[in-house]
Amino acid sequence: MKSPASASWKAPLKFRMPTAENLIPIRLDIEVDGQRYKDAFTWNPYDPDSEVVMFAKRTVKDLKLAPGFLPQIVQSIQSQLATFRSYEGQDMYVGDKIIPIKLDLQVNHTVIRDQFLWDLNNFDSDPEEFARTLCTDLGIEDPEVGPAVAFAIREQLYEIAIQNVTSARENRISKKGRRAAEHFTPSKASGAALDLMKLFSFRSSVVRKRKEWDYYKPVLDLLSNEEVDALEAKEERSGR
């Protein structure tokens, strides 16, 4: 049997996350009566829908949120799950594709910036394990940074997977039968890919070469309490 890694442009796969676990990123940003709740986490789309309601009830209780948050949390999660499920069963093209992943995160007092290449054909990849290794290598002790890194990776992979469905759809309806790569919809990720491919060959390893260390090494900053407060105030103003 042919493995997903050997797929070509002429052999589309069925839509899924290009990772070992088919977990999808969920974002919540809800405000009720002046109280705001923001969160980001992954969800197994095959869990029963009753889990969504249970999660929302636990969240409202544990965080002492207003009762009005309950239906909005449920609706937001269910809506994002419905979007994911709407792509299931559809073809997506992967081919020999290595894409850039960019990190620019602030988690509590930690700011981390990095960029690296990710092999979409590796369906055994594990963003959570990658994030744990990255945090260990950089000496990051805050336990909330690893999950945030993994989430950021999954969010970008999800976007690319959706674009690959669009590629397959456009390829099917193309009268000229062009390869799906010629119809790939430009995005921030694909634009960044062109920049990175100037330094990395299309089939190059995801391991950074020594001459590229200065350009693509991780940047780690630790913020003071005053800097964190200033950033939170700025975010609150921009969210109004």
Side-chain angles (χ1 to χ4, degrees), residues 70 141 145 158:
L70 178 58
E141 298 180 355
V145 176
Y158 183 32

Side-chain angles (χ1 to χ4, degrees), residues 29-76:
D29 189 351
I30 301 169
E31 187 170 348
V32 175
D33 297 331
Q35 188 178 17
R36 191 177 184 185
Y37 166 59
K38 294 181 65 177
D39 202 358
F41 48 86
T42 57
W43 195 275
N44 186 337
Y46 307 119
D47 282 347
D49 290 342
S50 59
E51 290 289 332
V52 175
V53 177
M54 293 175 60
F55 171 84
K57 288 181 177 179
R58 286 197 305 269
T59 300
V60 170
K61 180 181 178 180
D62 293 345
L63 299 181
K64 296 180 171 57
L65 300 175
F69 277 95
L70 178 58
Q72 293 203 41
I73 292 174
V74 172
Q75 190 277 331
S76 181

Side-chain angles (χ1 to χ4, degrees), residues 5-236:
S6 62
S8 68
W9 289 107
K10 295 182 180 180
L13 304 170
K14 295 302 180 183
F15 175 79
R16 61 157 293 154
M17 288 288 290
T19 54
E21 290 189 274
N22 201 27
L23 302 177
I24 64 172
I26 299 289
R27 276 193 182 275
L28 300 178
D29 189 351
I30 301 169
E31 187 170 348
V32 175
D33 297 331
Q35 188 178 17
R36 191 177 184 185
Y37 166 59
K38 294 181 65 177
D39 202 358
F41 48 86
T42 57
W43 195 275
N44 186 337
Y46 307 119
D47 282 347
D49 290 342
S50 59
E51 290 289 332
V52 175
V53 177
M54 293 175 60
F55 171 84
K57 288 181 177 179
R58 286 197 305 269
T59 300
V60 170
K61 180 181 178 180
D62 293 345
L63 299 181
K64 296 180 171 57
L65 300 175
F69 277 95
L70 178 58
Q72 293 203 41
I73 292 174
V74 172
Q75 190 277 331
S76 181
I77 295 175
Q78 289 180 337
S79 175
Q80 293 176 68
L81 289 174
T83 298
F84 175 85
R85 290 165 180 165
S86 70
Y87 292 103
E88 289 188 309
Q90 297 191 48
D91 290 340
M92 73 173 190
Y93 282 104
V94 178
D96 296 323
K97 179 166 287 190
I98 296 176
I99 57 102
I101 297 291
K102 289 194 173 185
L103 301 178
D104 189 355
L105 304 172
Q106 183 219 329
V107 183
N108 300 324
H109 289 73
T110 303
V111 173
I112 180 171
R113 300 181 182 90
D114 197 7
Q115 54 185 328
F116 43 85
L117 298 179
W118 196 276
D119 185 1
L120 289 181
N121 275 316
N122 182 8
F123 282 75
D124 292 323
S125 65
D126 186 339
E128 286 73 25
E129 178 62 29
F130 176 90
R132 286 191 291 268
T133 301
L134 180 66
C135 289
T136 299
D137 291 346
L138 296 180
I140 298 175
E141 298 180 355
D142 188 336
E144 295 184 24
V145 176
V149 169
F151 182 90
I153 294 173
R154 284 193 177 276
E155 201 166 43
Q156 293 174 66
L157 293 178
Y158 183 32
E159 177 188 354
I160 295 298
I162 292 174
Q163 292 171 354
N164 287 343
V165 171
T166 302
S167 273
R169 185 183 301 125
E170 290 179 344
N171 185 65
R172 283 199 309 271
I173 65 176
S174 174
K175 294 181 180 179
K176 296 180 181 180
R178 295 176 180 174
R179 293 174 63 181
E182 298 174 356
H183 298 279
F184 189 78
T185 305
S187 68
K188 293 180 181 178
S190 60
L194 295 177
D195 295 334
L196 281 179
M197 291 312 165
K198 294 177 182 178
L199 287 176
F200 294 89
S201 68
F202 192 70
R203 295 178 177 274
S204 72
S205 168
V206 296
V207 177
R208 295 181 180 91
K209 300 174 183 177
R210 181 176 294 275
K211 66 180 181 180
E212 294 151 357
W213 285 358
D214 290 337
Y215 296 99
Y216 295 99
K217 64 183 180 182
V219 176
L220 182 66
D221 289 322
L222 293 179
L223 303 179
S224 64
N225 291 332
E226 292 75 14
E227 290 172 319
V228 171
D229 291 341
L231 287 173
E232 289 178 348
K234 180 179 180 181
E235 182 182 359
E236 184 176 349

